Every structure is written in structure tokens, then in C-alpha cells.
């Protein structure tokens, strides 16, 4: 099983799926065998570009394909539960894009179905597996620069409003919070854990989707100041201020980038940029889980995914955002 070739299918063929497929081609003992879109034309184009043997215009047809071992789900947020459960019920391992689903109830349903069918399921929050982020986590865990005193993380870019775009469509989970706010929130939960209290405020587009969200996560001895916005180009950095030094993940902090360590007034820049886009790291982890017959990641655990969506739900409650 150690060298078993994992045969992949992809459901939902937008920009993220393009990136995933590009990096999948760099992963050893992995092969893209099937893709599915609601449009046969889109499926055919994607299949030709990424050397997939099969192209379907039906997600059910892909789920029924006996050759497929694992499915990467990259449809809009509001369809994650439906498409994940479809694949899980057909005994396909599922790597589902973040956010895992729209709310805690949906995430719990997905996990229940995965357990009932004894199939591997994992949320595809790729940052958790990137070399620069694992390095920062190790520094913080070992208190290389003393205790973590404060986290500041933001994610933002300016984009003209377009209600036809998935990014802005409220009914599919569009807006800043679920799409990009999840990254600063992830940075806080993965380094500081669950906050004791949350403060938040937001601005909204005319269609009710949030255009920007400011958050403060309060902890016993520290706090995390977080922001997401679709109204301006933010620095998109994560700054961890510790007792004896500062760790700064430079722009764009959620993807392969550089880390600046400031200690005793001196800066050291460590370059973690990769030859790939960076999706290969989570894919390799997932493939290894599948080969080992594991049903849950030991990094992106069900508990972590539940805590992440629970926190997103809580922020939504505070700012009055309902889907």
C-alpha cells in the first residue's frame, strides 16, 4: 500500500480546482482520472488541460466511477455538504475545500456520514500543511521566543462588486468571512486555541453579504486582532508577537511565502516559497492517510474542523449575518 497510486476525481472545476489539479500532477503515485462539472464543455476543457481520462457532466457519474479512490470537492461553499455526502455514500474518500460547509450542523452531518460509511474525510485547509506554517507552529509550540503575547492577522483585496460572482453571492456563502476571513480565524485557532470571548463588527454589500469583518478574539493572557475585507488590498500578513521576538508571516500569509524573525532588533528572512502552488502538501498528507487506511487526519482533525466552523458561526451571530 505504501506506493499505491491514488486515483483522483475532482468535482467543481473553478479556479481552486485548476490550482489543485496543477499541483496534483507533481505528487508521486497520484493520478487525476476523472473530473465533473455541470457543463460537459467545461469538463472536457478541464480534462484536456489536466490530462484527466474522463470528463463528466454529472457529479453522480463521477461518484459512481469505480476507478476513483478520492474526490476533491471545489464547488461553492453551500454545496459542500451535498457533494461530500454524495461521494462518501459511494465509498469515495473526500477532501473538501474550506469552509467545510455552511455551519456546524452541516459539518456534523458530513462527519456522521463519513463514519457510517467508514470512509476518509478531511477539510482542505491547505495552509495547515505548508512548510512555512508548520515552521511557525513549531516555533510557537516550543516557545522559541517565549510565550505568544498577541496575534494580528488580516486578509483582504479590492474587487468590484459583482452579484453574479460566487465571491459575492450570499446564497452560496459569498462575502469576506467564509471565503477569506477563515484564514485569520484559522491562524488564531491553530496557535491560540478557542477564545474565551469574541468581539466583531462588519460592513455589508447591498445584497446582504459581508464586505468586511473586524474581529478580536480574547484569551486569558493575550488576544488576536483579525480582519477580512473585499473592499481594500490589505497587507495579508500574520504577526505573532512573542516575549523575546516577533514572527511575521509575510504577504500572502496563507500560501507559500517568507517568514521574518525579529529578535534583538535584527531581522532574519526565511524563504519558504515552493516550486509548486502549495496544494501538493495537503494532497500528499491525504494520500498517505488513505494508504494507511485512516479515516481522519491527525492534523486537520474533525474536532478542529468543528471548532473552526463553530467559531465562524459565532462570528456570524455577532455581526448578524444569516445565509
Amino acid at each position: 500500500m505504501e506506493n499505491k497510486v491514488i486515483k483522483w476525481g475532482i468535482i467543481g472545476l473553478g479556479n481552486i480546482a485548476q490550482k489543485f489539479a496543477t499541483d496534483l500532477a507533481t505528487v508521486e503515485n497520484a493520478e487525476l482520472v476523472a473530473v465533473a462539472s455541470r457543463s460537459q464543455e467545461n469538463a472536457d476543457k478541464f480534462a484536456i488541460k489536466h490530462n484527466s481520462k474522463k470528463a463528466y457532466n454529472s457529479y453522480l457519474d463521477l461518484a459512481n466511477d469505480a476507478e476513483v479512490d478520492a474526490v476533491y470537492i471545489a464547488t461553492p461553499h453551500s454545496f459542500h455538504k451535498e457533494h461530500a455526502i454524495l461521494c462518501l455514500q459511494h465509498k469515495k474518500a473526500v477532501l473538501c475545500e474550506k469552509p467545510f460547509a455552511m455551519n456546524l450542523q452541516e459539518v456534523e452531518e458530513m462527519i456522521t456520514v463519513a463514519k457510517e460509511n467508514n470512509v476518509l474525510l478531511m477539510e482542505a485547509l491547505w495552509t495547515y500543511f505548508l512548510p512555512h506554517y508548520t515552521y511557525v507552529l513549531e516555533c510557537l509550540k516550543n516557545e522559541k521566543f517565549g510565550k505568544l503575547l498577541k496575534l494580528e492577522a488580516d486578509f483582504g483585496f479590492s474587487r468590484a462588486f459583482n452579484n453574479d460572482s460566487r465571491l459575492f453571492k450570499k446564497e452560496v456563502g459569498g462575502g469576506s468571512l467564509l471565503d477569506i476571513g477563515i484564514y485569520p480565524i484559522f491562524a488564531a485557532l491553530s496557535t491560540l486555541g478557542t477564545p474565551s470571548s469574541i468581539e466583531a463588527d462588519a460592513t455589508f454589500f447591498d445584497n446582504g453579504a459581508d464586505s468586511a469583518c473586524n474581529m478580536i478574539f480574547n484569551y486569558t493572557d493575550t488576544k488576536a486582532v483579525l480582519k477580512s475585507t473585499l473592499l481594500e488590498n490589505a497587507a495579508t500578513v500574520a504577526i505573532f508577537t512573542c516575549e523575546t521576538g516577533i514572527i511575521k508571516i509575510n504577504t500572502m500569509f496563507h500560501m507559500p511565502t517568507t517568514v521574518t524573525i525579529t529578535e534583538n532588533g535584527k531581522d532574519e528572512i526565511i524563504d519558504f516559497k515552493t516550486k509548486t502552488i502549495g496544494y501538493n502538501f495537503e494532497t500528499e498528507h491525504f494520500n498517505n492517510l488513505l494508504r494507511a487506511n485512516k479515516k481522519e487526519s491527525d492534523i486537520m482533525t474533525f474536532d478542529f474542523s468543528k471548532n473552526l466552523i463553530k467559531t465562524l458561526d459565532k462570528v456570524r451571530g455577532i455581526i448578524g449575518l444569516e445565509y
Side-chain angles (χ1 to χ4, degrees), residues 62-303:
L62 186 144
N64 272 319
D65 189 323
E67 195 178 2
V68 173
D69 299 312
V71 181
Y72 174 69
I73 293 173
T75 49
H77 314 329
S78 58
F79 297 105
H80 286 180
K81 184 194 84 165
E82 176 190 339
H83 297 150
I85 287 175
L86 170 70
C87 294
L88 292 166
Q89 287 176 335
H90 285 79
K91 307 296 184 184
K92 307 299 185 193
V94 169
L95 178 63
C96 182
E97 253 311 316
K98 58 83 199 156
F100 223 2
M102 294 293 286
N103 53 52
L104 178 62
Q105 184 182 343
E106 289 192 351
V107 167
E108 287 178 332
E109 280 183 62
M110 289 159 63
I111 292 168
T112 297
V113 173
K115 289 178 176 177
E116 285 171 354
N117 287 274
N118 199 30
V119 183
L120 173 63
L121 169 68
M122 188 181 98
E123 183 174 6
L125 213 161
W126 66 313
T127 307
Y128 221 157
F129 303 91
L130 295 175
H132 77 283
Y133 203 78
T134 56
Y135 168 80
V136 170
L137 287 175
E138 198 63 26
C139 286
L140 294 170
K141 182 183 171 186
N142 296 333
E143 296 189 352
K144 189 174 179 183
F145 307 103
K147 293 191 186 304
L148 178 55
L149 303 177
K150 186 181 182 185
L151 165 62
E152 298 159 273
D154 63 356
F155 195 139
F157 51 86
S158 176
R159 188 73 57 86
F161 179 82
N162 174 9
N163 198 39
D164 292 328
S165 164
R166 176 199 64 78
L167 185 62
F168 300 98
K169 282 176 95 166
K170 188 183 176 192
E171 57 267 34
V172 297
S176 83
L177 182 64
L178 285 193
D179 215 69
I180 56 177
I182 191 170
Y183 285 111
I185 288 173
F186 159 75
L189 297 184
S190 61
T191 57
L192 287 165
T194 307
S196 54
S197 66
I198 295 174
E199 302 167 49
D201 62 77
T203 55
F204 296 88
F205 294 114
D206 289 343
N207 70 345
D210 66 295
S211 54
C213 186
N214 296 293
M215 298 160 276
I216 297 174
F217 284 15
N218 295 304
Y219 297 86
T220 306
D221 299 315
T222 182
K223 66 179 177 178
V225 180
L226 314 172
K227 178 180 180 178
S228 61
T229 178
L230 296 172
L231 301 175
E232 60 181 317
N233 294 318
T236 309
V237 297
I239 303 167
F240 302 88
T241 301
C242 302
E243 290 173 309
T244 63
I246 297 169
I247 305 167
K248 179 184 178 187
I249 307 179
N250 297 309
T251 195
M252 307 279 287
F253 84 84
H254 67 299
M255 60 192 292
T257 185
T258 59
V259 174
T260 301
I261 304 293
T262 303
E263 192 178 18
N264 300 321
K266 293 179 181 176
D267 289 347
E268 177 193 3
I269 298 175
I270 309 168
D271 192 343
F272 287 95
K273 289 174 185 169
T274 58
K275 290 179 181 176
T276 60
I277 301 164
Y279 288 84
N280 52 301
F281 296 100
E282 71 175 358
T283 307
E284 287 163 3
H285 172 77
F286 190 88
N287 286 351
N288 288 332
L289 292 171
L290 197 49
R291 292 188 187 105
N293 202 29
K294 298 281 179 66
K295 310 304 176 190
E296 179 182 354
S297 170
D298 55 336
I299 296 173
M300 195 70 202
T301 63
F302 292 154
D303 279 348

Side-chain angles (χ1 to χ4, degrees), residues 31-48:
E31 181 187 356
L32 181 61
V33 297
V35 297
S37 170
R38 289 170 300 180
S39 152
Q40 187 66 54
E41 184 185 357
N42 286 348
D44 289 339
K45 279 183 185 172
F46 194 101
I48 291 165

